[in-house]
Amino acid sequence: MGQPRSERGLGIALVIAAAIAWSTAPFFTRLLPFDPWTILFWRGVFAGSLISVFLVAMQGRAALWQLVVPGRGSLLVASLSALGMISFIPALQMTNVMNVAVLIATQPFVAAALAWLWLGEAATWRTLIASLIAFAGVVITVGGVQAGADLGGLALSCLMVLAISSMTVVIRRHRQTSMVAAAALSNFMGSLVSLPFAHDIAHVGGNDLAILAMFGCLQVALGLTFYMLGLRLLPSGQASLIATLETPLMPFWIWVAFREVPAVHALIGGALVIGAVVADIAGDARKRRSS
């Protein structure tokens, strides 16, 4: 029996919400004058705390035991998520943001390949073609990969893509695992690893803490929780494709907040990404109506 249409629609809505939340990262980063590790530490503390509140609200205080003694699936998801978050910051320091963004755009292909190898979950031709179009849109949006990029930064970017893609497939494999607990645990793990490198941690004032709290709660806690919940209802390749909406939305928030008009190539690339995602969702809906 096929998956109920309502579940599929909910999964799509959750992943779109996650992409919108994730896309606000450049906006918050612009407001914070600290080293990336300090931002990562405080962001993880606030995000992990809010997700823990979600966990208690949904399952009661006894659910906090899942943070202390996580199951194998939850621990694996949390570790992969934390690895992806930790790799992202150094990658941005070691190579151009454009290079990182282009590599992130390969995630739908990596996730689809891993899902096929491990779960036997084959992506549809429609999703694969839409992923190719979205990838082209991301390349246009960021202006193309620049030559002479640092190999260490590229390696960390590839590690991040592999970690998040693997997390995507593990969530599909362990659908009964508490993904809310895994999301909270991943943020606490990220904060713990970042602490030794957070040189500005003692210089964070009250206003900055408020911004960091919003950063952690909106961009990380809501985004990661929505994504993990949505992944349980969607094929890995399609979920990763929808998540690429994050890239064209990033310059949109910068335009809204700082009145920086996106370049023409960013508008063209963003239109391709959004068009590819909308076409895939519409095609999936038509297929389910006809069946």
Side-chain angles (χ1 to χ4, degrees):
M1 183 178 294
Q3 183 183 27
R5 213 183 311 174
S6 59
E7 287 189 4
R8 191 81 163 210
L10 177 61
I12 290 172
L14 286 169
V15 177
I16 289 175
I20 294 172
W22 284 340
S23 69
T24 61
F27 166 75
F28 286 109
T29 303
R30 284 280 192 95
L31 300 177
L32 296 166
F34 305 114
D35 68 87
W37 294 106
T38 296
I39 295 174
L40 187 60
F41 169 79
W42 283 112
R43 190 184 70 167
V45 168
F46 285 115
S49 299
L50 179 61
I51 297 174
S52 297
V53 171
F54 288 161
L55 185 64
V56 172
M58 290 190 303
Q59 302 179 28
R61 284 181 295 178
L64 290 177
W65 186 248
Q66 299 171 27
L67 297 177
V68 181
V69 187
R72 184 176 63 177
S74 180
L75 183 60
L76 183 55
V77 169
S79 299
L80 290 169
S81 175
L83 179 60
M85 289 189 290
I86 292 168
S87 301
F88 180 63
I89 300 298
L92 289 175
Q93 292 178 319
M94 298 173 68
T95 188
N96 195 287
V97 176
M98 297 178 181
N99 300 326
V100 179
V102 170
L103 287 172
I104 290 175
T106 65
Q107 187 185 328
F109 307 105
V110 178
L114 291 175
W116 175 67
L117 291 171
W118 190 9
L119 306 178
E121 182 182 277
T124 65
W125 281 106
R126 183 191 65 253
T127 296
L128 290 175
I129 292 172
S131 297
L132 281 171
I133 296 172
F135 175 70
V138 171
V139 172
I140 294 173
T141 298
V142 301
V145 178
Q146 294 186 351
D150 186 89
L151 291 179
L154 292 178
L156 284 172
S157 299
C158 291
L159 178 61
M160 176 187 60
V161 170
L162 182 60
I164 299 303
S165 298
S166 300
M167 181 196 76
T168 299
V169 179
V170 170
I171 290 174
R172 293 285 291 172
R173 176 66 178 83
H174 297 275
R175 297 190 190 189
Q176 304 307 315
T177 300
S178 174
M179 293 308 160
V180 178
L185 184 60
S186 70
N187 279 279
F188 289 137
M189 292 170 65
S191 292
L192 184 63
V193 173
S194 303
L195 183 58
F197 310 103
H199 302 301
D200 295 332
I201 195 169
H203 302 102
V204 178
N207 291 335
D208 296 322
L209 275 178
I211 296 173
L212 284 163
M214 289 188 292
F215 196 177
C217 294
L218 174 62
Q219 195 266 339
V220 182
L222 293 181
L224 190 57
T225 301
F226 287 157
Y227 188 63
M228 287 187 174
L229 293 176
L231 277 173
R232 301 168 74 167
L233 306 173
L234 293 176
S236 303
Q238 186 180 34
S240 296
L241 168 63
I242 296 172
T244 59
L245 285 171
E246 171 190 5
T247 301
L249 287 174
M250 286 181 180
F252 171 76
W253 298 122
I254 297 299
W255 170 66
V256 170
F258 302 103
R259 291 293 182 261
E260 293 184 12
V261 180
V264 174
H265 62 80
L267 296 174
I268 296 174
L272 281 175
V273 173
I274 294 172
V277 172
V278 170
D280 183 70
I281 294 173
D284 180 77
R286 283 197 301 268
K287 178 181 177 181
R288 291 188 170 274
R289 281 198 299 268
S290 63
S291 62

